Amino acid sequence: QLAYEYNRNAQREWRHTVELDMEVRPASALRVRLGPKFVRQWDVDQYVTTRRDPLATRTFGGRWIFGDIDQSEVSFETRAEWTFSPRLTLQLWAQPFVSSGRFAAFKEFSAPGVFAFDVYGRDRGTIARRSGPSADLVTVDPDGAGPAVPFTFAEQDFLVRSVRGNAVLRWEYRPGSTFFLVWQQQRSGADDQADLGATRDIG
């Protein structure tokens, strides 16, 4: 079964989802279920950080900073079940997952009570993005040549990889007495570069 879904809202945010649900039986004793999924979405209100500033009187002394984010996710859920005999079975489950996000158009609320933003470098102030010794940085001067103090935060681009899985061997060695052998695996890693290569990263 192949499914596609598209969503869009009044803020021009959108989301594409493609998902496949497939079951195969290569042998009478083996059943495999595959569920690859791909999601691509664009959001205009991803929260980043907050900075206190008494000069931000329109928003009660604080600057709530958001960004546009272009995010992609790939996952591949797999289930398999072997029936060696009525008393002996093996079940496997695994889910590799990769997600990347690229940020743009950092901004702050323009006024309380409304869904509206001022984009740094366009609607107000200045913005500079530069590489640092330990992280890439974003420096914002919220009012340009005005009295507000500039602030800095880390670049928000990310790449997350994870895999979870388990295996369960069930052996009913005599009627009413069952032995279970369980193996679990979980790994994860992250990077600050939004470089999604689905085949490479899932591998």
Side-chain angles (χ1 to χ4, degrees), residues 83-127:
T83 302
F84 302 105
S85 73
R87 292 187 174 186
L88 183 63
T89 61
L90 175 64
Q91 293 179 322
L92 299 176
W93 175 81
Q95 186 186 50
F97 173 83
V98 183
S99 178
S100 73
R102 188 178 302 279
F103 279 75
F106 291 109
K107 51 198 171 181
E108 66 177 63
F109 276 132
S110 58
V114 295
F115 190 81
F117 301 93
D118 287 341
V119 177
Y120 297 128
R122 188 189 73 188
D123 302 319
R124 69 161 60 193
T126 62
I127 185 169

Side-chain angles (χ1 to χ4, degrees), residues 129-138 153-157 192-193:
R129 305 172 88 158
R130 67 183 192 278
S131 298
S134 58
D136 293 339
L137 303 174
V138 179
F153 55 88
E155 276 282 10
Q156 301 297 299
D157 293 354
D192 58 2
Q193 300 293 326

